[in-house]
Amino acid sequence: AQRVTQPEKLLSVFKGAPVELKCNYSYSGSPELFWYVQYSRQRLQLLLRHISRESIKGFTADLNKGETSFHLKKPFAQEEDSAMYYCALSGRLSGGGNKLTFGTGTQLKVEL
Amino acid sequence: GAGVSQSPSNKVTEKGKDVELRCDPISGHTALYWYRQSLGQGLEFLIYFQGNSAPDKSGLPSDRFSAERTGGSVSTLTIQRTQQEDSAVYLCASSPPWGGDEQYFGPGTRLTVT
């Protein structure tokens, strides 16, 4: 069974401080991992995916298969980064779709 | 263009009543997903539609839950004989047919069963 764990419900950092949102997964196979973000009063949206190896809004995430982790990092937090962040693991469905298994989310609060 | 839309945005119902939740996916998106987010829980997959193919219902929690998708577009999630544990935010998402794993989410329907 696939499972995603986000150990922190709330992470509070000061503006300009580094941020690391933790995500660990359990999956038998080659995982596809994502970070989704939900800003206040907005809908859930994709932030980044591990296969792209890209930096979005200054955030990066590296897949570590040895530690089964996909932590989200940003060197300098900004006030606009305050949001709910969800780590998600993709599993194939019959018919070719992708079932996303989400963690319980981490609320990031960036304080001035 | 318009994103995924869902209606109603909020629904309060009495225990034992049936409810219908609606999802309009992005035009041209062939894949449609329903998820549920209960208080303090992550999003839980419910059901997946791909075009006109038979849906993957592997996430439906009980036979009180059903969903249909008409004409490969609009979808309705029906919960019969609602229970208090059905209270949650129900999210719909769609994906385009041209590959990629991104799912585009709607704003959700908050269901409260009293």
Side-chain angles (χ1 to χ4, degrees):
Chain A
Q2 54 190 72
R3 187 168 61 243
V4 175
T5 303
Q6 293 181 253
E8 302 144 326
K9 285 189 175 180
L10 173 65
L11 182 63
S12 185
V13 301
F14 286 106
K15 179 181 175 181
V19 174
E20 183 178 52
L21 301 171
K22 296 188 187 304
C23 172
N24 288 88
Y25 67 90
S26 174
Y27 186 65
S28 56
S30 186
E32 293 184 39
L33 286 147
F34 306 83
W35 278 98
Y36 277 78
V37 61
Q38 187 166 27
Y39 300 101
S40 179
R41 290 184 290 278
Q42 294 187 27
R43 59 189 66 191
L44 193 62
Q45 59 187 286
L46 179 67
L47 178 63
L48 56 79
R49 67 195 84 189
H50 91 269
I51 57 173
S52 299
R53 301 186 64 80
E54 57 195 347
S55 174
I56 303 293
K57 298 184 179 182
F59 285 97
T60 58
D62 291 320
L63 177 61
N64 185 322
K65 291 186 178 180
E67 296 182 358
T68 60
S69 68
F70 187 57
H71 303 327
L72 184 67
K73 299 178 183 180
K74 184 170 183 177
F76 308 104
Q78 302 299 313
E79 192 178 358
E80 57 266 27
D81 296 330
S82 294
M84 191 72 167
Y85 292 80
Y86 294 94
C87 183
L89 172 65
S90 177
R92 285 292 174 191
L93 293 165
S94 58
N98 299 296
K99 163 189 170 182
L100 290 175
T101 299
F102 287 86
T104 50
T106 298
Q107 179 72 46
L108 175 65
K109 183 178 179 182
V110 180
E111 300 184 78
L112 300 176
Chain B
V4 176
S5 61
Q6 292 185 245
S7 61
S9 54
N10 280 284
K11 176 71 177 179
V12 180
T13 190
E14 292 180 354
K15 178 181 173 182
K17 295 282 181 68
D18 298 351
V19 295
E20 285 189 352
L21 312 180
R22 178 187 168 107
C23 172
D24 282 89
I26 294 172
S27 178
H29 281 196
T30 54
L32 187 148
Y33 305 81
W34 283 98
Y35 293 88
R36 174 172 73 172
Q37 185 173 29
S38 305
L39 188 64
Q41 303 293 317
L43 281 78
E44 172 191 14
F45 166 78
L46 297 177
I47 189 169
Y48 156 71
F49 294 89
Q50 175 61 269
N52 295 317
S53 302
D56 185 315
K57 306 178 183 179
S58 59
L60 294 179
S62 79
D63 57 9
R64 296 186 295 105
F65 288 72
S66 63
E68 62 178 22
R69 188 178 185 191
T70 54
S73 181
V74 171
S75 177
T76 302
L77 178 69
T78 301
I79 309 173
Q80 295 178 310
R81 305 180 303 280
T82 52
Q83 303 295 312
Q84 287 187 329
E85 60 263 29
D86 299 334
S87 296
V89 176
Y90 289 82
L91 290 171
C92 176
S94 68
S95 289
W98 49 85
D101 295 321
E102 182 172 359
Q103 295 184 18
Y104 296 79
F105 283 82
T109 294
R110 181 176 296 279
L111 175 65
T112 303
V113 182
T114 61

